């Protein structure tokens, strides 16, 4: 079993780190918000007071941070993980960030003699808790193979997307689909309400028809049909609308940079921007249905 450092113990990072502890790995953990380490320490992990502390003796360091800015802060510069990680330590960033930052961090790691992977995930908090995440991984094949047993303790599917940055490219495209599909499902439920169709009837029919998608069957935005979805607990996250907006902005930036057409993605971003401005930023992104309904 490996000595692993883990930084970023939020909605996703905490259950992911817990699964590594359950798999028997020795974990040292850090979060900017110190009380986030409590649940891990209770299960046998060691809390570090600094990000540098997680690097001591680590064979691998995993990060699950909000965005590219935090990833640069944790990995780059004086005292950053790339500087302080011991030789041979494998760096794995599971955050969803822009492709440019992922590539720059991997290149800086390589210069320092270290391997770094971008390994963003899909599956939400449910997948993180149940260790059924999908990892989309960018980086050297040899490093991906080294990471595979660790990632397998947190997920079910590990797909190498290509070289550095390819994991983030896949994630951004995936979330472009997700951001748009959630709005589509929400609009359908609101229309069904107006037409006098029950939530359960629409769910039963659409979930076995051509409207079927993850936003409907795993993350249904109305309470009832999928008991584990955030709609059943007042839209507590989960995956916040602020995070979805971040990802759609990443998609928009990538589309602009490459000349790809992603007009629905831009419109979806506008929806989440409006929702965030009305207080929805910390709410689960499926709460967008309340804005669409006008409730
Ligand atoms: P979160 O905000 O719940 O957690 C982020 C954690 O990072 C927090 O505990 C915060 O204190 C910590 N942090 C921030 N800056 C730090 C720093 N400089 N050093 C140490 N810790 C720091 O976010 P989350 O929902 O867990 O998402 C994390 C990443 O996973 C994001 O990139 C998100 O897009 C991605 N993601 C989230 C979901 C989801 O369903 N929540 C699903 C797939 C991917």
């Amino acid at each position: 079993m490996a000595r692993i450092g883990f930084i970023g113990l939020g909605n996703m990072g905490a259950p992911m780190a817990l699964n590594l502890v359950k798999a028997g790995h020795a974990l040292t953990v850090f979060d900017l918000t110190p009380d986030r380490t409590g649940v891990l320490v209770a299960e046998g992990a060691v809390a570090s007071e600094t990000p540098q502390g997680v690097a001591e003796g680590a064979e691998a360091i995993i990060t699950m941070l909000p965005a590219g800015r935090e990833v640069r802060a944790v990995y780059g510069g004086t005292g950053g993980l790339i500087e302080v990680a011991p030789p041979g330590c494998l760096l794995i960033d599971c955050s969803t960030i822009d492709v440019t930052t992922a590539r720059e961090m991997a290149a800086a790691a390589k210069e320092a003699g270290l391997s770094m992977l971008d390994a963003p995930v899909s599956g939400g908090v449910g997948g993180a808790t149940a260790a059924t995440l999908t990892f989309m991984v960018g980086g050297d094949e040899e490093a991906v193979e080294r990471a595979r047993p660790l990632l397998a303790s947190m997920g079910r599917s590990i797909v190498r997307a290509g070289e550095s940055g390819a994991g983030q490219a896949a994630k951004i495209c995936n979330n472009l689909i997700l951001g748009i599909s959630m709005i589509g499902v929400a609009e359908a439920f609101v229309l069904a309400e107006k037409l006098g169709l029950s939530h359960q009837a629409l769910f039963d029919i659409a979930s076995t028809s051509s409207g079927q998608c993850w936003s409907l069957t795993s993350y249904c935005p109305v309470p009832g049909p999928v008991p584990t979805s955030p709609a059943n607990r007042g839209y507590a996250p989960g995956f916040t609308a602020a995070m979805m907006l971040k990802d759609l902005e990443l998609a928009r930036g990538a589309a602009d940079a490459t000349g790809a057409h992603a007009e629905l993605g831009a419109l979806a971003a506008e929806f989440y921007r409006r929702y965030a401005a009305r207080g929805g930023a910390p709410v689960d992104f499926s709460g967008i249905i309340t804005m669409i309904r006008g409730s």
Side-chain angles (χ1 to χ4, degrees), residues 10-12 31-33 36 64-66 96 121 238-239 243 246:
N11 290 323
M12 293 294 287
D31 194 288
L32 263 192
T33 311
R36 297 249 160 108
M64 194 51 164
L65 298 162
T96 302
V121 305
F239 184 53
M243 289 281 188
K246 173 203 66 158

Side-chain angles (χ1 to χ4, degrees), residues 7-14 16 30-33 36 51 64-67 69-71 73-74 94-97 120-126 133 171 175 214 219 237-240 243-244 246-247 284-285:
I7 299 181
L9 303 165
N11 290 323
M12 293 294 287
M16 289 167 69
F30 173 79
D31 194 288
L32 263 192
T33 311
R36 297 249 160 108
M64 194 51 164
L65 298 162
R69 195 172 51 132
E70 290 81 9
V71 169
V74 167
C94 295
S95 329
T96 302
I97 66 168
V121 305
S122 177
V125 173
L133 292 170
K171 176 66 185 173
N175 277 21
W214 191 89
Y219 222 74
F239 184 53
T240 62
M243 289 281 188
M244 176 49 83
K246 173 203 66 158
D247 290 358
D284 190 82
F285 81 110

Side-chain angles (χ1 to χ4, degrees), residues 107-282:
K110 194 171 182 180
E111 214 166 288
L114 298 166
S115 292
M116 178 167 177
L117 299 172
D118 48 297
V121 305
S122 177
V125 173
T129 306
T132 57
L133 292 170
T134 292
F135 286 90
M136 27 209 127
V137 191
D140 290 351
E141 273 178 48
E142 179 266 331
V144 175
E145 290 316 307
R146 272 174 69 202
R148 205 172 274 279
L150 284 184
L151 301 183
S153 299
M154 300 181 284
R156 193 160 50 190
S157 171
I158 300 150
V159 184
R160 180 174 180 268
E163 297 302 330
S164 293
Q168 296 298 348
K171 176 66 185 173
I172 290 168
C173 293
N174 180 80
N175 277 21
L176 177 62
I177 299 171
L178 177 63
I180 294 169
S181 69
M182 180 54 79
I183 292 171
V185 170
E187 287 189 352
F189 273 106
V190 170
L191 178 60
E193 290 165 6
K194 301 271 186 211
L195 294 172
L197 185 64
S198 77
H199 290 161
Q200 194 63 47
L202 176 59
F203 179 84
D204 290 345
I205 293 161
S207 63
T208 54
S209 300
S210 45
Q212 188 274 335
C213 63
W214 191 89
S215 294
L216 176 71
T217 56
S218 292
Y219 222 74
C220 189
V222 295
V226 178
T228 51
S229 79
N232 297 282
R233 42 174 212 274
Y235 301 99
F239 184 53
T240 62
M243 289 281 188
M244 176 49 83
L245 177 57
K246 173 203 66 158
D247 290 358
L248 288 172
E249 281 171 348
L250 291 177
R252 189 177 194 161
D256 287 349
T258 56
H261 286 279
E263 289 170 43
L264 270 185
L267 189 57
E270 188 46 43
F271 268 57
Y272 291 105
R273 191 171 300 113
R274 245 192 290 152
Y275 183 51
R278 293 175 188 187

